[in-house]
Amino acid sequence: MPTAAAAPSDVIRIAIDCMGGDHGPSVTLPAAQAFLAAHPQAELVLVGLPEALAPAAGWARCRLVYAAEVVTMDDPIEVALRKKKQSSMRVAITQLKAADGASPLAHACVSAGNTGALMAVARYLLKTLDGIDRPAIATVMPNQAGRYTTVLDLGANVDCTAEHLLQFAVMGSALVAAVDGKEDPSVGLLNIGEEMIKGSETIKRAGELLRQAAADGHMNFYGNVEGNDIFKGTTDLVVCDGFVGNVALKTAEGVATMMGAMIKEEFSRSWLTKLSALVAMPVLQRFRGRVDHRRFNGAALLGLRGLVFKSHGSADAFAFEQALNRAYDAARNRLLDRVHDRIVETLQAMPAAPADDTTVTGDGALDIPQTA
Amino acid sequence: MPTAAAAPSDVIRIAIDCMGGDHGPSVTLPAAQAFLAAHPQAELVLVGLPEALAPAAGWARCRLVYAAEVVTMDDPIEVALRKKKQSSMRVAITQLKAADGASPLAHACVSAGNTGALMAVARYLLKTLDGIDRPAIATVMPNQAGRYTTVLDLGANVDCTAEHLLQFAVMGSALVAAVDGKEDPSVGLLNIGEEMIKGSETIKRAGELLRQAAADGHMNFYGNVEGNDIFKGTTDLVVCDGFVGNVALKTAEGVATMMGAMIKEEFSRSWLTKLSALVAMPVLQRFRGRVDHRRFNGAALLGLRGLVFKSHGSADAFAFEQALNRAYDAARNRLLDRVHDRIVETLQAMPAAPADDTTVTGDGALDIPQTA
C-alpha cells in the first residue's frame, strides 16, 4: 500500500526544497507566501539552509526544516545520491516518509532542482509502487482545444518496453483523473501514423496491451496519435518513451521560442511596425498569456511511494507557485491512492515487464516546457 | 558508381509524377509551368494519365510520358509495389534509370504521392548506393538564425543502429553541401541532453562513430543537440532515427498550427481586436511568410541510386514549385556524386552496419512540415 494521502477536507502539507532551481529562495519563498495566502487549508514545510530560510521565520502555517547542503543544477546524480546526504532536496523528500503507524510529515514535495538528481534521490528514498517498474515524468502542454494535454514519459526512461508504456498509461490516467477531475481520460500512444501497423515492435506491442486493457474496461484507449495531436488536444493523455517525449517537449519549446522571437522581430522592424505593435499590444498580450509556459509549470514524478513534483529550474515565483498548486491538487485529490488503485485494477491481469536493471537513467537536463 | 548527374552547365531534366498528391494535375501542371518559366535551362518529363496531361500538350521543353494507373494516398505499399506497375509514380521514377552506356532520361524525380509507396517503389527500382544500408528522408525546417536546419531521418526507418545514424550524417552532409553550398556543414546528433553520457546505447555508440569520423577529418561533428536546437539553428544538420524525427516534425507542425490559430482567435475576438488586426496586418503577413511551410516543401529521399524528392501531399502550386526547385538544385549541384564521394571517403574506414533485413518500413503517413 502506498503512503495514505489526505482526504479532501484535511489539511494538506507540501514540503518545498527552497534551495532548488536557478534562483533558490529568492523565488521559492515569495511563491510559498503567495501559495499560503491562496490556500487557507494548506501548510508548508520549508526546507533549506538556515540563513536562506531566515525571511520565513514566524510565517503562519509554516514549519522550517534546516538542511546542510544544496544539490546544484550541475551536480551529477552520484553526488546527489551518495555524497550530499544532508541536501535540501533529500531532506524535503524525506518529509514524505511516514514512521511506522504515523502520518507522513508532508503529503507532497516540490523541487526546482536538477531533474536527474531529484528522480534518483526520490526513487532511492521512496521506492517505486508495487506493479511499477520505473517511475516516469509527466507534464502538461497547452492544446488548441483550449485545454491541456498530459504527456509522459519526458526523459526518465530512454529505453522502454511495451509493459513500461502500459504502466505509464495507467499512472498518467490516474494523474489526469486526480488533477483534472476527468475520471476516464482518453489515452493516445505516440506513434508515426494512426494505423495499427505503424511503429517499432515495442510500440505495436504496447498498442496491443493498451487495447487489451481497454477491452477489459480498465482504460479509455483512443489508439495511436502523432506529434501534432498533442497540440490539437486529440486525447487527454499521450504516452511515449522518455527519449521521444523529451525530444517532443524540447521541439515544442524550440518552435514556440522561434515563433515568439520572429513576431517580436517583425514588430520591431521600423517605427511604423512599432506603432502597430502598440495598437496590437492588448491582443498580443492575451496571446502570450495563453502560451505562457509558466502556467503549465510542475511535472509529476509518477510511480513512487510519495508525491514529488518538479518545477522548471528557471521558474520565477509565479511559475513556482503553479507547481505548488499542482502538487496541492494532486495531494488533495489523493493521487497516490488513485495510482495504486488503477495499478491493482489494470495491471494485475496484465503481463509484467521483463526483469529490469533498475538503473536510474534520469535526465539531468530535462526541464519543463517553455511554450512561449 | 551512382547514375551520373549533370554538370552545372548542362540541361537538367526533372521527371514529375503529375498525378501524385491530394490535388494531382491541378497543382502539378501550373507548378511545372511556373518552374519552366523560372529555369530556362531546365526540361521536364511530365508523367500522368493521358487525359490529365492534355493541357500540357505542346509546351516547350516538356516531354509527356503516359501512365495507365495512379497510386492513391491510401494505397498500401504492397499495392504500389506489386499491383500498380504502370502507375505515374513508378513510371516517373523509371525515368531516372539509364540504359547501359546511355544517359538517364531525367536527373531527378518529384512526386507528391504517398511517402511509404514512393520510398518502396524508388528503393525497388533504383536500389541503394554502395555503403548505404537504408535510404532516409531529409527535409528542412526554418530556424531562428534566419536560415534552415536539415533533419533526417523523418520516418523511413523506425529502428536504427549507430551505423545507420552515421550513414544518415554522411548523406545529410552531402545534401547540405549540394543544395546550400556549405561544404563542411555542422552535424548534430539529436539527443536528450548535451553531455556524451546521455541517451540510449545506440545514440551513445552513434556519438562515438561520429566523433571518430570527425577526428579523421571526414565530418564537422558538433556533438549532441536537443529538440529546441533544430529551431535555434545550432547546427546545419540534425541526425536522428525515423521515429524520433517524425515525432519532432509533427510536434513542430502541431505547435506552429496551434500558435497560428491562437493568434487568429485573439485578433478576431471583438471589433476592437479586428481593427488592431488591420493595423498589424502587414507585420503579421511578413511573420506568416517567414514560417510559411510551403517555402520549405520538398524532402529528399537519400541513399538511392537516383534523386527522388517528395512533396507534401497537400501542396499547392507554389509549394510544389519549391519541391521542383529543390530537386533542380540537387541535380544541378551533382548531389548523387557528392553523396557517393562522401560515402567512399567517410564510410570506407568505418564499421558496416549489422546485417539488415532490408524490409521497407516507409511511413505512408509521413508528410513534410507544416510550420504555419
Side-chain angles (χ1 to χ4, degrees):
Chain A
M1 262 300 291
T3 315
S9 60
D10 288 350
V11 162
I12 302 289
R13 266 188 311 277
I14 311 282
I16 304 181
D17 165 15
C18 292
M19 310 305 294
D22 299 342
H23 313 295
S26 69
V27 153
T28 54
L29 291 185
Q33 208 163 20
F35 171 81
L36 281 170
H39 297 88
Q41 281 220 308
E43 295 182 5
L44 293 178
V45 181
L46 303 177
V47 185
L49 302 182
E51 60 276 24
L53 296 186
W59 287 5
R61 290 179 284 136
C62 258
R63 206 160 63 81
L64 308 190
V65 173
Y66 297 128
E69 290 163 303
V70 175
V71 173
T72 69
M73 297 307 269
D74 305 320
D75 271 340
I77 290 174
E78 286 302 297
V79 170
L81 205 54
R82 306 197 204 292
K83 298 260 164 71
K84 297 189 172 174
K85 297 200 175 172
Q86 297 303 317
S87 73
S88 59
M89 180 188 278
R90 185 163 179 152
V91 174
I93 296 170
T94 309
Q95 309 300 310
L96 302 178
K97 289 180 66 110
D100 283 342
S103 292
L105 298 167
H107 304 99
C109 166
V110 179
S111 173
N114 149 2
T115 312
L118 184 66
M119 177 59 97
V121 173
R123 188 171 176 171
Y124 174 77
L125 290 178
L126 301 173
K127 314 299 177 207
T128 50
L129 289 165
D130 288 335
I132 297 298
D133 298 293
R134 299 183 185 185
I137 303 176
T139 192
V140 295
M141 305 193 200
N143 66 38
Q144 226 173 311
R147 299 185 305 270
Y148 49 80
T149 309
T150 301
V151 184
L152 81 166
D153 175 37
L154 293 173
N157 308 283
V158 293
D159 286 306
C160 289
T161 65
E163 289 77 11
H164 295 140
L165 292 168
L166 171 66
Q167 292 170 15
F168 297 169
V170 170
M171 297 192 292
S173 293
L175 176 67
V176 177
V179 177
D180 303 335
K182 200 157 185 180
E183 280 306 326
D184 202 21
S186 54
V187 178
L189 177 63
L190 191 57
N191 203 335
I192 59 168
E194 285 170 22
E195 306 86 339
M196 276 197 250
I197 56 153
K198 294 285 177 194
S200 63
E201 290 311 313
T202 302
I203 294 288
K204 284 185 225 170
R205 168 97 181 113
E208 282 170 25
L209 294 178
L210 288 162
R211 271 189 296 278
Q212 188 186 321
D216 296 346
H218 299 318
M219 192 173 294
N220 180 4
F221 181 50
Y222 170 89
N224 290 334
V225 294
E226 301 183 68
N228 51 338
D229 288 303
I230 299 172
F231 303 93
K232 269 192 198 164
T234 307
T235 55
D236 298 309
L237 182 71
V238 169
V239 173
C240 55
D241 75 42
F243 193 97
V244 170
N246 194 278
V247 169
L249 179 76
K250 287 183 178 156
T251 296
E253 174 192 325
V255 174
T257 304
M258 177 185 72
M259 288 180 73
M262 283 179 175
I263 292 176
K264 211 169 182 175
E265 246 176 70
E266 291 305 331
F267 273 112
S268 339
R269 205 169 273 280
S270 69
W271 66 266
L272 201 64
T273 60
K274 281 178 191 160
L275 205 66
S276 63
L278 272 181
V279 175
M281 192 59 79
V283 182
L284 293 175
Q285 269 168 347
R286 273 190 67 99
F287 164 69
R288 248 178 235 141
R290 284 179 68 176
V291 292
D292 186 352
H293 66 275
R294 300 180 307 160
R295 287 175 49 217
F296 308 101
N297 189 35
L301 272 53
L302 293 175
L304 300 165
R305 293 172 188 264
L307 293 180
V308 181
F309 281 76
K310 152 76 185 151
S311 158
H312 200 288
S314 68
D316 62 11
F318 172 79
F320 195 79
E321 190 189 343
Q322 308 316 308
L324 294 176
N325 288 338
R326 283 187 71 77
Y328 178 79
D329 287 344
R332 200 167 49 99
N333 295 312
R334 303 169 40 257
L335 173 59
L336 214 51
D337 288 348
R338 286 170 183 259
V339 171
H340 174 262
D341 294 349
R342 287 202 181 232
I343 291 168
V344 170
E345 183 187 295
T346 315
L347 296 179
Q348 252 172 5
M350 305 291 281
D356 194 14
D357 60 3
T358 69
T359 308
V360 175
T361 49
D363 164 31
L366 174 77
D367 251 319
I368 319 303
Q370 299 265 16
T371 35
Chain B
M1 264 297 292
T3 314
S9 60
D10 288 349
V11 163
I12 302 289
R13 265 187 313 275
I14 311 282
I16 305 180
D17 165 14
C18 292
M19 311 305 295
D22 298 342
H23 311 296
S26 70
V27 153
T28 53
L29 292 184
Q33 208 163 19
F35 172 80
L36 282 170
H39 298 89
Q41 282 220 309
E43 296 182 4
L44 293 178
V45 181
L46 302 177
V47 185
L49 302 182
E51 60 275 24
L53 295 187
W59 286 5
R61 291 180 282 136
C62 259
R63 207 158 65 79
L64 308 190
V65 172
Y66 297 128
E69 290 164 302
V70 175
V71 173
T72 69
M73 297 308 269
D74 305 320
D75 271 340
I77 289 174
E78 286 303 295
V79 169
L81 204 53
R82 307 198 204 288
K83 296 258 164 72
K84 296 189 171 173
K85 298 202 173 170
Q86 297 302 318
S87 72
S88 59
M89 180 188 278
R90 184 161 180 155
V91 174
I93 296 170
T94 309
Q95 308 301 309
L96 302 178
K97 290 181 64 110
D100 282 343
S103 292
L105 298 166
H107 304 100
C109 165
V110 179
S111 174
N114 145 3
T115 313
L118 184 66
M119 177 58 99
V121 173
R123 189 171 175 171
Y124 173 77
L125 290 177
L126 301 174
K127 315 298 178 209
T128 50
L129 289 166
D130 289 335
I132 298 299
D133 299 293
R134 299 182 184 186
I137 302 176
T139 194
V140 295
M141 305 193 199
N143 67 37
Q144 226 172 311
R147 298 186 305 271
Y148 49 82
T149 308
T150 300
V151 183
L152 82 166
D153 175 39
L154 293 173
N157 308 282
V158 293
D159 287 307
C160 289
T161 65
E163 290 77 11
H164 295 140
L165 292 168
L166 172 65
Q167 293 169 16
F168 297 168
V170 171
M171 298 193 293
S173 294
L175 176 67
V176 176
V179 176
D180 303 334
K182 200 158 186 180
E183 281 305 325
D184 204 21
S186 54
V187 178
L189 177 63
L190 192 57
N191 203 336
I192 60 169
E194 284 170 23
E195 306 86 339
M196 278 198 252
I197 55 151
K198 293 286 178 193
S200 63
E201 291 310 313
T202 301
I203 293 288
K204 284 185 224 169
R205 168 95 182 115
E208 282 169 26
L209 294 178
L210 287 162
R211 272 190 295 279
Q212 188 186 322
D216 295 346
H218 299 316
M219 192 174 295
N220 180 4
F221 181 50
Y222 170 89
N224 290 334
V225 294
E226 300 183 69
N228 51 338
D229 287 303
I230 299 172
F231 303 93
K232 269 192 198 164
T234 307
T235 55
D236 298 309
L237 182 70
V238 169
V239 173
C240 56
D241 75 42
F243 193 96
V244 171
N246 194 277
V247 168
L249 179 76
K250 288 182 176 155
T251 296
E253 173 192 325
V255 175
T257 304
M258 178 187 71
M259 288 180 73
M262 283 179 174
I263 291 176
K264 210 169 182 175
E265 247 176 71
E266 291 306 330
F267 273 112
S268 339
R269 205 169 273 279
S270 69
W271 66 266
L272 202 65
T273 60
K274 280 178 192 159
L275 205 66
S276 63
L278 273 180
V279 175
M281 191 59 78
V283 182
L284 293 175
Q285 269 168 347
R286 273 191 66 100
F287 165 68
R288 249 179 235 141
R290 283 178 70 176
V291 292
D292 184 354
H293 67 276
R294 300 180 309 160
R295 287 175 49 218
F296 308 101
N297 188 35
L301 273 54
L302 292 175
L304 300 166
R305 293 172 188 262
L307 293 180
V308 180
F309 281 76
K310 152 78 184 151
S311 158
H312 200 289
S314 68
D316 61 11
F318 173 78
F320 195 79
E321 192 189 340
Q322 308 316 309
L324 294 177
N325 288 339
R326 283 187 72 76
Y328 178 79
D329 287 344
R332 199 166 49 98
N333 295 311
R334 303 170 40 258
L335 173 58
L336 214 50
D337 289 347
R338 285 168 184 261
V339 172
H340 174 261
D341 293 348
R342 286 201 182 233
I343 292 169
V344 170
E345 182 188 292
T346 315
L347 296 179
Q348 253 173 4
M350 305 290 280
D356 194 14
D357 60 3
T358 69
T359 309
V360 175
T361 49
D363 164 30
L366 172 77
D367 250 320
I368 319 303
Q370 299 266 13
T371 33

